[in-house]
Amino acid sequence: SKDDKKTASEVFRKLADTATTEAIKEEAIVRGGLISAEIGDISTSEALLARAFQFADDSPWKSLAQVGAIFNAYTREDYDRVISLYSTGSLNTTVTDYRPKMLLVVGHSYRIKGETEYASKLYSLIESKYPNTEEGSEAGYRKLQILYQKGDGSLPSIAGRFVANLSKSDPKSAYIDMANLMKAEFHFSEAEKGAERNDENYAKTNYRAAASAYASVREANVNEK
């Protein structure tokens, strides 16, 4: 919870000033900076990470401080900096607990900047590397959003697989219903196109598919807007 992370941040901050070994001090500084970034305490996070950037280049914690800087840049809505830090930085492979969240933030930044190809590649990576996690589920959903916005014909089949997989691990997830809603809207749009060009079979097929997808949406899981 956020309260637990706030407590952990305070513990790491104290440890950063009181640790008797350099290794423990460096870990405390970076962990404190990362947790502070997660809870939105940017000023504390940046103060700690500034100390981390002074570590020797061979410190196993210096590269991880880059991840905290990425989180802070995203919170500040500085998406160019997020992408720049990711492109020029490196993550210590021995400390991977922040990697899926970092990749998700970078993917979001690319998507917000309109660079949907890069965003989709990162979302696919997260979805495949971290299945059955919150980050994996959100990445799959955001990838569907990009396909929907593009009017991509592969949306229904990809949405179907997404729903089937997520239903096994998290059947109550609202992402399931949002995916079905996008699928329904896609088919409805295609049906309307078919009707306009007097393609009765195409229109009927898509109206049926739209109706089926709409019926599967649990309205309580869908934002009122």
Side-chain angles (χ1 to χ4, degrees), residues 1-98:
S1 70
K2 188 171 182 178
D3 286 340
D4 290 336
K5 288 181 179 179
K6 187 176 180 180
T7 300
S9 174
E10 292 170 357
V11 170
F12 280 125
R13 283 160 57 191
K14 290 178 182 177
L15 190 58
D17 294 325
T18 60
T20 55
T21 69
E22 198 64 25
I24 293 175
K25 180 177 289 189
E26 289 188 359
E27 180 174 357
I29 289 170
V30 175
R31 290 288 190 187
L34 282 164
I35 293 175
S36 296
E38 281 191 276
I39 62 177
D41 186 354
I42 298 178
S43 59
T44 297
S45 176
E46 290 182 338
L48 287 167
L49 295 177
R51 294 169 63 182
F53 290 135
Q54 302 303 312
F55 295 166
D57 288 341
D58 61 353
S59 168
W61 294 99
K62 189 170 184 177
S63 66
L64 192 57
Q66 196 94 338
V67 177
I70 287 173
F71 290 156
N72 288 330
Y74 186 77
T75 301
R76 292 188 184 280
E77 300 182 1
D78 189 348
Y79 307 119
D80 286 326
R81 179 162 172 75
V82 170
I83 293 168
S84 175
L85 286 167
Y86 173 71
S87 300
T88 59
S90 61
L91 176 64
N92 182 352
T93 55
T94 64
V95 186
T96 59
D97 44 340
Y98 286 97

Side-chain angles (χ1 to χ4, degrees), residues 27-206:
E27 180 174 357
I29 289 170
V30 175
R31 290 288 190 187
L34 282 164
I35 293 175
S36 296
E38 281 191 276
I39 62 177
D41 186 354
I42 298 178
S43 59
T44 297
S45 176
E46 290 182 338
L48 287 167
L49 295 177
R51 294 169 63 182
F53 290 135
Q54 302 303 312
F55 295 166
D57 288 341
D58 61 353
S59 168
W61 294 99
K62 189 170 184 177
S63 66
L64 192 57
Q66 196 94 338
V67 177
I70 287 173
F71 290 156
N72 288 330
Y74 186 77
T75 301
R76 292 188 184 280
E77 300 182 1
D78 189 348
Y79 307 119
D80 286 326
R81 179 162 172 75
V82 170
I83 293 168
S84 175
L85 286 167
Y86 173 71
S87 300
T88 59
S90 61
L91 176 64
N92 182 352
T93 55
T94 64
V95 186
T96 59
D97 44 340
Y98 286 97
R99 186 174 180 82
K101 185 170 290 187
M102 179 200 69
L103 292 173
L104 194 61
V105 161
V106 177
H108 292 342
S109 297
Y110 275 121
R111 177 172 52 84
I112 292 167
K113 291 285 294 178
E115 298 184 46
T116 54
E117 184 178 348
Y118 289 111
S120 292
K121 287 179 179 178
L122 277 175
Y123 289 147
S124 293
L125 174 65
I126 299 163
E127 196 176 17
S128 63
K129 290 283 188 181
Y130 306 99
N132 304 323
T133 66
E134 289 183 16
E135 292 83 4
S137 298
E138 182 173 354
Y141 170 69
R142 297 299 181 186
K143 187 173 69 175
L144 286 177
Q145 278 188 315
I146 291 172
L147 293 175
Y148 176 72
Q149 289 164 1
K150 288 182 174 180
D152 193 299
S154 65
L155 172 69
S157 60
I158 294 177
R161 289 196 296 272
F162 173 78
V163 167
N165 290 332
L166 189 54
S167 294
K168 295 174 185 176
S169 60
D170 188 9
K172 295 181 179 180
S173 174
Y175 288 140
I176 292 172
D177 305 280
M178 293 303 297
N180 280 326
L181 183 58
M182 283 190 282
K183 183 178 178 180
E185 291 284 288
F186 177 88
H187 280 301
F188 186 81
S189 176
E190 290 299 300
E192 294 286 273
K193 291 175 186 176
E196 287 177 6
R197 61 176 183 261
N198 296 317
D199 188 339
E200 186 176 346
N201 288 334
Y202 186 83
K204 283 184 177 180
T205 297
N206 278 282

